[in-house]
Structure formats: structure tokens, C-alpha cells
Amino acid sequence: MAFSVSDFQDLLELLRANPDWRQKLWELLASEELLRLPAETRALREETNQQWRQLRELIAQLAEAQRRHYEEFAAHRQETDRRFAELAEAQRRTEERVGRLEEAVAALAEAQRRHYEEFAAHRQEFLAYRAETDRRFAELAEAQRRHYEEFAAHRQEFLAYRAETDRRFAELAEALRRLSIRVEDHARDLGKLKRLHTEFRFRQRPGDFFRRLLRRAAVVPDERKSAILDDAVAAGRLREEEAEDAALLDLLVEGLHRREDRRIYLAVEISWLGSTEDVARAVRRASLFAQVLGAEVWPVVAAEDLTETARAIARRAGVWWVQDGKIFAPNEIPERSGSESSAAAREPDVH
């Protein structure tokens, strides 16, 4: 009995109504390789994705290639779906023209075979690409190994160079330290010589240097200064340590007030560069001699220059400044070096 078109339509209706029949019919019509194809496709996709996750951090090109492969695979799958749709349409048209189910099944099997062959060809291309990628990774690992060896060699050279540089810097620092000590020693010796020279000049000609402060200015001899301090200690007006400090005063000058007939003393500290210590010593020792002598004693610093801090303290403490023939009253001491005003050239206001 021939299989008519109406019988084929009935078969299609039965297959639509019974999905499990369609599955059994597919199992009868499809080959074993075709049935394994979805599982193999899924396994291959999982393997590909796993390799992509391992390699994507090392080379971005492989990720791009995998993406293109996946897009091609999706395109092929879409093309297969389209071809299945065309086959269904052709089968529908064939049902109207041909009454034989075997021909439709043969056409379907042929289309499936071509699809499998195309998929197998693409799988071979992917395997070849993976082998090429593995080879490139091996080359990259070898290049990385050589680079590390070169880096280790250069690092050893750098460490040796740094050690030599540190040694030379240490030698240079030590030489600079010794030179600095020698310079400080020379500067200290030069300062002492200049101070002794200035003190000698003041002792030889006190009237010339202090004439603008006192009349009949004269340096109190060291013997008399020591006797004054000894008498003060014996009388209980000074402690021994205070007398020892006062005895270190560079010069004690006495004379008459320029406008009044009262005796004035000058407690003079001599330095090449007057510091805050010189100003403090002049104030302290002037106070000690005023206590001993019961007279007015003015603190004086004789120096070529004063530091800015020493100038400020001298102005506040009422210390006079004698500078190579110039005399600055406390309120006339310039705040900075080089800013001496014409007041220095005037005769100071002596009260």
C-alpha cells in the first residue's frame, strides 16, 4: 500500500500531538554521531571557556580570537537554524509535490551530514589555533626566563655600584667633617686674636673709644678689679661664684658723666661677632659691679658686628654697642646689619 500525502499529513499531526514520538523518530532517523554531536559540542564549549579563563590575563589576542570563534560558531548555528527552516519549508512544499516520506528524510539526513562536516572542519581549525597558541606561550615563557636572568645580572652590577658609591660618599663625608673641624678651629683662633687685638686697643686708648660716653675715661686695672671683688666677697656683698663670674669681665672702664659730675662705670664685653651670650654677660656682670661699687654701671658690648637676635636683646636690655669708633645707644641699635642710620654718627644722648 502506497504512502500518500494525506498519510504524511496525518503522521505530522500525530508527531505534533505526541512530542515523545518525535524524539523516538529522531533517534531512529539520526546517526549515532549526530546524537553525540550536542554533548560533544557542549563539552568542547566548556573546554574552550576554561582555556579562555586561564589565558585571558596573559594575552588579550587569544581572547579576541576565542570571541571571534564563538561568534562564528553562533553564526553557523544560526545558519543551521535557518537551513532547518528552509528544509522545513522545502519539506512542506515537497509534501505537496512528492508523496514519498523517504525522499524528505534523505534530504534531511544530507543536510545534517553537511552541517556535521562543516562543524568538524571548524573544530580542526580551532585545535590547530590552540596548538599555535600553546607554542607562542612557550616562546613567551622562554623570553620571560631570559629577561629575568638579565635582570638578575644587572641587579648584581647595580648593588656593587651602589656599595662603591656609598663607600665614596662616606669617605667624602668624613673628609668634609675633618675640614669643617679645621675651619672651625681656625675661625675660633682668628676670633680670639681679633678679640685680644681689640681689647689691647681699648686698654691703650680708652679715652678715644669711650670719650663720647665718659669724660676722663680710664680702664680699671685688673689688680684693682680683683681687689674690689675680693673686698665685696669678704664683706658679704657677693658670693664667691658671683665674684668669679664678674672677674671674667673683659674691661671695667670708669669716668665722669659727660654732663654731670658723677662717676659712671662701663662693663665692657669684647667680641669679634657679638652674640646673645655676650649681651647677657654684659648685663649680668654690670649688675654685679653696680652691686659692689654702689655706682651706676652701664653694660657695653664692643664688637665689629652683632647678630640680629643679639641686637634685639641689646635694645630691650639697655646695652650699649661700640663698633670701631661708633657708639650706638640701646634705642639706636639697628635691627639688621647694614641698616645703620645716621644716628651712629651723632653724639649719643647720654642721660
Side-chain angles (χ1 to χ4, degrees):
M1 179 177 180
F3 191 79
S4 64
V5 174
S6 61
D7 293 335
F8 182 72
Q9 292 292 341
D10 293 339
L11 177 60
L12 292 179
E13 291 297 330
L14 289 173
L15 292 176
R16 292 189 185 99
N18 299 276
D20 54 340
W21 291 14
R22 292 199 303 271
Q23 178 64 28
K24 293 180 179 180
L25 179 60
W26 170 253
E27 295 176 355
L28 291 175
L29 295 177
S31 63
E32 184 177 353
E33 293 181 351
L34 190 61
L35 291 175
R36 290 199 308 268
L37 181 60
E40 292 180 355
T41 302
R42 288 191 298 272
L44 180 60
R45 182 185 305 169
E46 292 176 359
E47 179 183 1
T48 302
N49 291 336
Q50 182 179 2
Q51 291 176 350
W52 274 104
R53 286 191 298 269
Q54 295 174 350
L55 300 178
R56 62 184 178 182
E57 296 297 333
L58 300 176
I59 180 167
Q61 297 177 354
L62 181 61
E64 181 63 20
Q66 180 68 17
R67 186 187 62 79
R68 291 198 301 270
H69 172 75
Y70 182 80
E71 290 178 353
E72 291 175 1
F73 180 78
H76 281 294
R77 186 171 63 183
Q78 186 177 2
E79 178 65 16
T80 301
D81 294 341
R82 185 184 64 79
R83 290 182 180 180
F84 268 114
E86 292 179 354
L87 180 61
E89 180 64 21
Q91 186 174 352
R92 189 188 62 79
R93 291 194 302 268
T94 302
E95 290 174 357
E96 298 174 356
R97 298 190 302 268
V98 184
R100 297 180 63 88
L101 178 62
E102 291 82 356
E103 295 179 359
V105 173
L108 177 61
E110 178 64 19
Q112 186 64 31
R113 183 189 62 79
R114 290 195 302 270
H115 173 72
Y116 180 76
E117 289 177 352
E118 292 176 358
F119 176 76
H122 284 295
R123 186 173 184 275
Q124 291 298 323
E125 292 178 0
F126 170 74
L127 292 176
Y129 182 81
R130 185 174 65 180
E132 176 66 15
T133 302
D134 294 339
R135 183 186 65 80
R136 292 181 178 179
F137 265 109
E139 293 177 354
L140 179 61
E142 177 63 19
Q144 182 67 22
R145 184 188 63 79
R146 291 195 302 270
H147 174 72
Y148 180 78
E149 291 177 353
E150 293 176 358
F151 171 77
H154 287 300
R155 184 173 182 273
Q156 291 299 324
E157 294 177 1
F158 170 74
L159 291 177
Y161 175 78
R162 186 174 65 178
E164 177 64 17
T165 302
D166 293 341
R167 183 185 64 80
R168 292 181 178 179
F169 268 111
E171 293 177 354
L172 180 60
E174 178 61 20
L176 289 176
R177 186 187 66 81
R178 292 195 298 267
L179 179 60
S180 177
I181 292 174
R182 293 179 61 186
V183 170
E184 289 178 358
D185 291 341
H186 287 307
R188 191 179 301 110
D189 294 340
L190 181 60
K192 290 180 179 178
L193 290 175
K194 291 179 176 179
R195 188 185 66 81
L196 291 174
H197 177 68
T198 304
E199 182 177 349
F200 176 76
R201 293 171 59 199
F202 285 162
R203 286 182 179 277
Q204 292 296 112
R205 296 157 52 196
D208 295 340
F209 289 99
F210 302 108
R211 183 178 57 83
R212 297 169 63 186
L213 286 177
L214 302 177
R215 292 183 292 115
R216 300 177 186 176
V219 176
V220 176
D222 292 339
E223 295 81 2
R224 181 184 166 196
K225 183 171 65 174
S226 298
I228 293 173
L229 294 174
D230 291 341
D231 293 342
V233 172
R237 294 195 300 273
L238 279 184
R239 298 192 304 273
E240 185 63 38
E241 57 271 19
E242 292 176 334
E244 292 177 357
D245 181 33
L248 297 177
L249 179 68
D250 292 331
L251 288 179
L252 181 63
V253 180
E254 64 178 343
L256 298 176
H257 193 282
R258 295 187 66 236
R259 297 178 184 173
E260 303 174 8
D261 289 333
R262 74 174 189 269
R263 184 161 297 276
I264 301 294
Y265 291 87
L266 304 180
V268 183
E269 288 291 331
I270 301 173
S271 176
W272 181 254
L273 176 61
S275 64
T276 56
E277 294 179 359
D278 294 318
V279 173
R281 283 195 296 267
V283 173
R284 185 177 65 251
R285 290 168 182 172
S287 175
L288 292 175
F289 274 104
Q291 180 179 345
V292 171
L293 297 171
E296 193 172 352
V297 182
W298 295 348
V300 178
V301 173
E304 183 65 24
D305 200 356
L306 293 180
T307 64
E308 291 189 9
T309 306
R311 292 170 184 248
I313 295 176
R315 290 171 63 90
R316 292 196 300 268
V319 178
W320 294 73
W321 177 24
V322 176
Q323 181 199 41
D324 192 20
K326 299 178 183 178
I327 296 179
F328 293 91
N331 62 342
E332 294 174 347
I333 297 177
E335 295 181 358
R336 294 180 179 83
S337 180
S339 61
E340 288 82 2
S341 64
S342 59
R346 301 196 308 266
E347 190 168 307
D349 185 11
V350 179
H351 298 287

